[in-house]
Amino acid sequence: MAVVKPFKAIRPPKEIVKDLSCLPYDVMNTQEAREMAKGNKHSLLQITRAEITCDEDVDEHSEQVYLKSKQNYKMFLDNGWLKKDDEARFYIYAQTMGERIQYGIVGAAACEDYFNGTIRKHELTRPVKEDDRMVHINTNNANIEPVFFAYKAIDEIDAIVNKIVTSQEPEYDFVADDGFGHKLWVIYDENTNKEIERLFAEKVKYTYVADGHHRTAAAARVGEERKRLNSNHTGNEEYNFFMAVHFPHNQLSIIDYNRVVKDLNGLSESDFIAALGRKFEIIKIGDEIYKPTKLHEFGMYLNKTWYKLEARKSALDDSDPIGILDVTILSNHVLDKILGIKNQRTSDRIDFVGGIRGLEELEKRVDSGDMKIAFSLYPVSMEQLINIADTGSIMPPKTTWFEPKLRSGLTIHDLE
């Protein structure tokens, strides 16, 4: 069963929380981070992307940048822009996107749960990215940013959350520049905190990494490393835990994660479409954007024309939870066999476009000449994600995209 416990969060005064909070470090590049933080002395990007406060030619993974992050973090603490709560507590974090609201429990997950399989994952991680976040965590002695977890919804936890958010004013309540709303409630009642911890321990068998596989792996490895180096280790040290926001699965929605490809692997357009027809029924749409409406349907944009693709039965593998995914069907029968892209993680011929950017972004990438062809996909469901994680399977790269992204800076977890 899942170990999730309250912790003493380090967090900003409500007066500056909107300015201080930021998007996760890995959804932007350095130049975008510079623009986002421009003119904002409170921006947490000075800690999560500390290279923006260094000379422009500095390597973002250099020791100088990690030490600058530590220096900036100390400056935030010294200035009172971040303060530590006096008691260990859970927090409720609500995100609003249009008409949809999702409520998560901010708590400390156990590093041991990552290694024993209680925390389940569905993506592979790259050691170099894990190492980067390990250095960042160790240098600051803190989990500066949370990870995004899901769990199978529990009625009793839902009832506690509902009671608090309908009877208590939030500590934070703001709309970020991207239009998404963010609220945070502090759970002050000791008995309520104990009850939430008990419910996770007794009723939540597994938690699932929704977004933040590298941060999760890095945090767990830091805990394991410190355990190994501490001859007086007891298991209760704060480094045995890391910060995560736990959302009930039935409140989450995965949006599409689309593909653009630079060339047709030497094929003419007519030969490519002929090859495509072996595994897909092809319907020409025209200049109107086509967004898939169900599983095994795809949109394709080529030479200023949209097509609807419907996978034939010969393209489906119903016996395999990975094989039945639309991203696998596209990967196996189009990207690999026709376009010759064998490894999407390393190929420079393919790029990935989150659905939050809209399908107009696919048209833009192709019409500009940057890319030759684009594919729009129907999103994976939470049920599919959980099923895949439960079977120990790994999804193809860039399969899931969650929105809204967690806002960094509302809570920080100190490893001391």
Side-chain angles (χ1 to χ4, degrees):
M1 305 303 278
V3 175
V4 183
K5 74 182 197 74
F7 68 103
K8 297 179 182 179
I10 296 173
R11 53 192 187 85
K14 64 178 66 177
E15 294 78 17
I16 64 168
V17 65
K18 180 178 178 179
D19 288 341
L20 185 139
S21 70
C22 66
L23 290 169
Y25 84 101
D26 55 353
V27 301
M28 69 196 75
N29 60 35
T30 299
Q31 187 53 43
E32 288 170 333
R34 287 187 195 279
E35 287 300 314
M36 290 177 182
K38 190 174 182 180
N40 180 6
K41 66 180 182 180
H42 294 129
S43 175
L44 194 79
L45 289 170
Q46 296 172 83
I47 301 170
T48 60
R49 299 296 303 241
E51 72 271 16
I52 69 173
T53 61
C54 300
D55 293 337
E56 290 199 9
D57 59 350
V58 70
D59 182 348
E60 65 182 271
H61 299 125
S62 67
E63 183 180 11
Q64 177 186 348
V65 170
Y66 296 119
L67 292 178
K68 187 65 173 177
S69 176
K70 181 179 182 179
Q71 178 184 334
N72 290 343
Y73 182 35
K74 182 178 184 303
M75 181 261 290
F76 273 51
L77 292 167
D78 290 344
N79 286 349
W81 298 346
L82 291 169
K83 299 178 181 179
K84 191 171 187 176
D85 281 352
D86 55 359
E87 297 290 341
R89 303 181 176 108
F90 284 111
Y91 306 82
I92 298 172
Y93 176 24
Q95 298 176 297
T96 302
M97 180 179 178
E99 298 298 315
R100 184 165 63 84
I101 304 177
Q102 55 197 35
Y103 296 93
I105 301 286
V106 188
C111 296
E112 180 60 28
D113 281 357
Y114 181 80
F115 297 108
N116 67 26
T118 301
I119 295 172
R120 301 203 154 180
K121 43 197 179 289
H122 64 267
E123 286 185 6
L124 294 175
T125 55
R126 295 170 54 197
V128 65
K129 291 189 71 175
E130 288 185 27
D131 292 346
D132 164 59
R133 286 302 97 181
M134 279 190 72
V135 176
H136 196 272
I137 292 167
N138 276 321
T139 300
N140 287 298
N141 203 32
N143 307 123
I144 301 295
E145 298 185 288
V147 291
F148 191 148
F149 280 9
Y151 65 93
K152 291 183 180 179
I154 301 297
D155 289 342
E156 293 93 329
I157 297 177
D158 288 347
I160 291 172
V161 170
N162 183 65
K163 180 179 179 180
I164 291 172
V165 302
T166 56
S167 64
Q168 181 179 322
E169 287 297 313
E171 184 77 7
Y172 304 144
D173 184 355
F174 66 94
V175 176
D177 292 340
D178 55 15
F180 298 143
H182 303 270
K183 296 181 182 181
L184 186 89
W185 288 262
V186 181
I187 301 180
Y188 291 100
D189 181 70
E190 182 180 356
N191 290 331
T192 303
N193 281 292
K194 288 180 178 178
E195 179 66 2
I196 292 172
E197 186 172 5
R198 183 190 70 80
L199 287 168
F200 272 97
E202 295 182 1
K203 300 214 168 189
V204 178
K205 191 172 184 180
Y206 303 112
T207 58
Y208 300 85
V209 183
D211 199 5
H213 281 78
H214 289 95
R215 275 169 281 160
T216 301
R221 285 176 57 194
V222 167
E224 190 72 6
E225 178 183 77
R226 295 192 178 198
K227 171 184 174 181
R228 187 176 65 252
L229 296 174
N230 183 3
S231 59
N232 297 314
H233 174 82
T234 66
N236 295 318
E237 297 87 355
E238 205 60 34
Y239 62 68
N240 292 290
F241 305 91
F242 61 95
M243 181 172 57
V245 187
H246 301 76
F247 290 93
H249 80 288
N250 56 9
Q251 293 184 19
L252 299 178
S253 179
I254 304 172
I255 65 175
D256 47 307
Y257 212 155
N258 304 307
R259 274 78 172 131
V260 287
V261 179
K262 285 187 176 181
D263 58 73
L264 297 182
N265 197 29
L267 297 172
S268 67
E269 290 183 13
S270 59
D271 286 344
F272 169 74
I273 289 177
L276 199 63
R278 300 187 188 109
K279 293 293 182 180
F280 299 86
E281 182 181 349
I282 304 170
I283 302 168
K284 187 174 181 180
I285 301 297
D287 59 5
E288 183 177 346
I289 288 176
Y290 181 72
K291 186 177 180 66
T293 59
K294 61 182 179 180
L295 289 172
H296 312 328
E297 252 183 29
F298 306 82
M300 182 177 77
Y301 186 64
L302 174 66
N303 194 17
K304 295 188 179 298
T305 302
W306 280 93
Y307 299 82
K308 173 184 176 181
L309 310 180
E310 293 183 354
R312 302 185 189 277
K313 286 187 178 181
S314 61
L316 309 180
D317 183 1
D318 295 338
S319 65
D320 179 5
I322 297 296
I324 201 66
L325 291 176
D326 284 353
V327 67
T328 305
I329 294 167
L330 183 72
S331 296
N332 291 346
H333 299 295
V334 182
L335 301 178
D336 181 354
K337 292 180 180 177
I338 301 178
L339 296 177
I341 298 173
K342 304 297 182 182
N343 189 335
Q344 295 178 52
R345 296 180 186 278
T346 59
S347 176
D348 61 0
R349 295 174 54 218
I350 188 169
D351 200 3
F352 307 90
V353 181
I356 192 67
R357 294 180 178 269
L359 297 187
E360 293 81 4
E361 179 68 14
L362 301 185
E363 288 189 333
K364 178 181 176 183
R365 295 289 296 274
V366 173
D367 291 346
S368 70
D370 176 39
M371 294 289 173
K372 178 66 176 178
I373 190 169
F375 300 94
S376 57
L377 288 83
Y378 191 76
V380 172
S381 69
M382 277 303 301
E383 288 74 17
Q384 285 180 305
L385 183 152
I386 288 172
N387 183 40
I388 287 166
D390 282 344
T391 60
S393 302
I394 298 297
M395 287 186 178
K398 308 295 185 182
T399 300
T400 59
W401 184 282
F402 287 88
E403 285 288 349
K405 298 296 183 185
L406 298 182
R407 205 75 183 171
S408 299
L410 306 189
T411 57
I412 290 172
H413 176 238
D414 190 350
L415 297 191
E416 289 295 332

